[in-house]
Amino acid sequence: MPKIKRKQIVILILAILILYVVTEAIPGFVSKATPTTTIEYGNLLVEDDVTCYALRDETVYAAPSAGSVKYNIDEGTQIKVGKEVLTFQSSKSDTDPEKEIKFQDIADRLGDKAVSENITKANRKGVFSTYIDGYESYFTAENFDKITEAKAMERKGKIEDVKSSDVDKGQPLYKIADQSQWHMICWIDGEDISRYQVGADVTVRFDDERADDVVFTVEKISEEGEKWKLLLSSNRYYKDFAKFRDLDVKLITTDIDGIIIDNKYLTTKDGKTGVYVVQTTGDPKFVQIKALGTDGEKTVVSENTFYDEEGQMVETVKVYDEILKNPEADDSKDSDSKSK
C-alpha cells in the first residue's frame, strides 16, 4: 500500500476519534463539571408543637345536699338519656352555707351553671366523666372569639378528678360531655399560619404513645396579636376526650411519602415549575413537576407521571434522576431547545 494512502487512512481514523471526543466525551465531561444531585424517595413531615385546649358542650352536675354517693358508671363511658349514673343518699343534715366544701374553687368557678336536680339519671347523652375544672361554660366553641391565649393560660392545669363517696352540698359530682362534635383551640406563630386553611384537615398527634392520631378540620382562623388562633373541630374518638382541658400536641399539616426535592433546585419555565434533569447524553432537560406538599425548604412531588390542570398526562421525575443544582440554565442548555 502506498505510503500516501496509508497516511490518509491514519488521518481519517484520527478525525473520527476527534469527532467522537467532541460529540460524546466533551458533553459528558461538561455535565460532570456542572453541580448535580440525585433525587430520592422519602417522607416529608411538617408539624407544629402547640398547646391545645378542649372546647366541649358539657354539663356539670352538683350535689343538691350533703350525702353519700355511689358511682355506677366508669370514667369515659358513652351513655344515653335515662341511664342511672349514680346512687345518691342525702344525709339531710343542715350545712353551714359559709362552710368551705370539697373542691370549693371549682364550685365557685361553676357558680349557678351546675345542675343540682335529678342528678342520679342522665338527662342528656354523652361521655360520663368526673374530671372537672369549673370552666366548662367558658371553654366552648361558641365562645371562640372571646377566648384569648392569655386567658386560656390562666385556666391551664385546673382540671381535677372530683369523684368522692361523701359529698357536701354544691360539690361537683360529674359531667356529661357531647363527643358527637367537639373542638380544640390553639395558637400558631405568624410564619407558620400559611400552612393552615379553613376547611382543610390537620392531624393531631397527642403526647401519648397509646393514643391514636385524631383528624380535625380547621373551622375558623382569627388573628390575635402576632399569632393566629385556630378553631379545630372533630367527631372522631379520643380515649381521654373528657379528661383533659389542655394538652401539648403536634399539629401535622403534611405527612406525605414521595420524591423529595430541595426547593433551591426548583425553577420555572413558560410559567411551569420543574427541574433540569440530566439526560444520558449529558444534556439538561427541563421536566415539569407537581408539588404535593412543602415545608418551605423541601417539596415532595409526584413520581413518573401526573395529570395537569387540563387533564393531560405529564411525564415527570423518577427516583434517582440526576438534576442540576444550579437550575438557572437557559433554553440553550435544554435538549428540547437543541432539538428544535
Side-chain angles (χ1 to χ4, degrees), residues 239-300:
K239 67 180 184 65
D240 289 334
F241 155 74
K243 290 178 65 173
F244 81 97
R245 176 66 66 197
D246 50 270
L247 280 180
D248 293 330
V249 304
K250 294 183 182 296
L251 295 188
I252 301 172
T253 51
T254 301
D255 187 3
I256 305 176
D257 294 327
I259 291 177
I260 298 179
I261 301 177
D262 197 305
N263 285 1
K264 60 188 177 184
Y265 304 150
L266 300 178
T267 188
T268 58
K269 180 182 178 184
D270 299 330
K272 299 175 181 178
T273 302
V275 294
Y276 277 93
V277 177
V278 178
Q279 306 299 290
T280 55
T281 61
D283 297 311
K285 176 184 176 182
F286 179 82
V287 176
Q288 186 180 352
I289 60 97
K290 180 180 180 181
L292 302 177
T294 182
D295 63 0
E297 296 182 356
K298 295 181 179 180
T299 296
V300 60

Side-chain angles (χ1 to χ4, degrees), residues 174-212:
Y174 65 93
K175 69 183 181 185
I176 299 178
D178 180 15
Q179 195 179 10
S180 62
Q181 190 72 30
W182 60 293
H183 298 77
M184 293 203 300
I185 189 173
C186 62
W187 286 263
I188 301 295
D189 292 334
E191 66 262 23
D192 300 323
I193 194 60
S194 61
R195 298 200 293 266
Y196 299 86
Q197 296 180 350
V198 172
D201 288 343
V202 298
T203 299
V204 176
R205 181 161 295 166
F206 295 94
D207 189 18
D208 184 346
E209 294 181 355
R210 298 169 298 169
D212 293 331

Side-chain angles (χ1 to χ4, degrees), residues 58-329:
E58 49 196 352
T59 304
V60 177
Y61 300 84
S65 66
S68 60
V69 175
K70 178 183 178 182
Y71 289 89
N72 303 321
I73 301 295
D74 293 330
E75 173 68 33
T77 302
Q78 183 83 32
I79 58 177
K80 297 180 180 180
V81 176
K83 178 70 175 179
E84 186 174 354
V85 296
L86 57 77
T87 302
F88 179 76
Q89 182 64 48
S90 175
S91 66
K92 296 183 179 180
S93 60
D94 292 329
T95 303
D96 182 357
E98 301 299 324
K99 175 187 174 183
E100 184 170 302
I101 64 174
K102 283 180 283 187
F103 305 107
Q104 180 71 63
D105 53 344
I106 295 177
D108 290 342
R109 292 194 288 267
L110 286 167
D112 59 1
K113 300 294 174 56
V115 176
S116 297
E117 299 176 354
N118 303 319
I119 63 169
T120 59
K121 293 184 177 181
N123 60 15
R124 62 174 299 178
K125 67 177 183 178
V127 175
F128 175 88
S129 178
T130 56
Y131 284 80
I132 299 170
D133 59 7
Y135 296 121
E136 283 71 20
S137 61
Y138 176 78
F139 284 108
T140 66
E142 292 74 21
N143 208 29
F144 171 76
D145 293 333
K146 298 179 181 178
I147 301 174
T148 66
E149 186 175 23
K151 290 180 179 179
M153 291 179 66
E154 289 176 1
R155 293 158 173 77
K156 185 177 180 179
K158 303 292 186 182
I159 204 161
E160 295 186 61
D161 185 358
V162 300
K163 188 174 182 179
S164 180
S165 57
D166 297 310
V167 299
D168 300 312
K169 181 179 179 180
Q171 182 177 327
L173 300 176
Y174 65 93
K175 69 183 181 185
I176 299 178
D178 180 15
Q179 195 179 10
S180 62
Q181 190 72 30
W182 60 293
H183 298 77
M184 293 203 300
I185 189 173
C186 62
W187 286 263
I188 301 295
D189 292 334
E191 66 262 23
D192 300 323
I193 194 60
S194 61
R195 298 200 293 266
Y196 299 86
Q197 296 180 350
V198 172
D201 288 343
V202 298
T203 299
V204 176
R205 181 161 295 166
F206 295 94
D207 189 18
D208 184 346
E209 294 181 355
R210 298 169 298 169
D212 293 331
D213 295 344
V214 178
V215 176
F216 282 76
T217 299
V218 180
E219 192 169 301
K220 290 183 181 180
I221 300 177
S222 177
E223 189 173 9
E224 184 180 310
E226 296 181 355
K227 290 189 175 183
W228 292 80
K229 179 169 58 174
L230 301 184
L231 178 65
L232 309 176
S233 66
S234 181
N235 58 6
R236 308 294 180 90
Y237 170 79
Y238 174 57
K239 67 180 184 65
D240 289 334
F241 155 74
K243 290 178 65 173
F244 81 97
R245 176 66 66 197
D246 50 270
L247 280 180
D248 293 330
V249 304
K250 294 183 182 296
L251 295 188
I252 301 172
T253 51
T254 301
D255 187 3
I256 305 176
D257 294 327
I259 291 177
I260 298 179
I261 301 177
D262 197 305
N263 285 1
K264 60 188 177 184
Y265 304 150
L266 300 178
T267 188
T268 58
K269 180 182 178 184
D270 299 330
K272 299 175 181 178
T273 302
V275 294
Y276 277 93
V277 177
V278 178
Q279 306 299 290
T280 55
T281 61
D283 297 311
K285 176 184 176 182
F286 179 82
V287 176
Q288 186 180 352
I289 60 97
K290 180 180 180 181
L292 302 177
T294 182
D295 63 0
E297 296 182 356
K298 295 181 179 180
T299 296
V300 60
V301 303
S302 296
E303 178 183 4
N304 296 325
T305 61
F306 67 88
Y307 288 93
D308 62 17
E309 296 178 352
E310 299 176 355
Q312 300 297 315
M313 189 175 71
V314 178
E315 292 188 1
T316 187
V317 292
K318 303 181 294 297
V319 176
Y320 304 130
D321 272 350
E322 188 177 1
I323 64 173
L324 297 186
K325 284 187 174 182
N326 180 19
E328 280 72 31

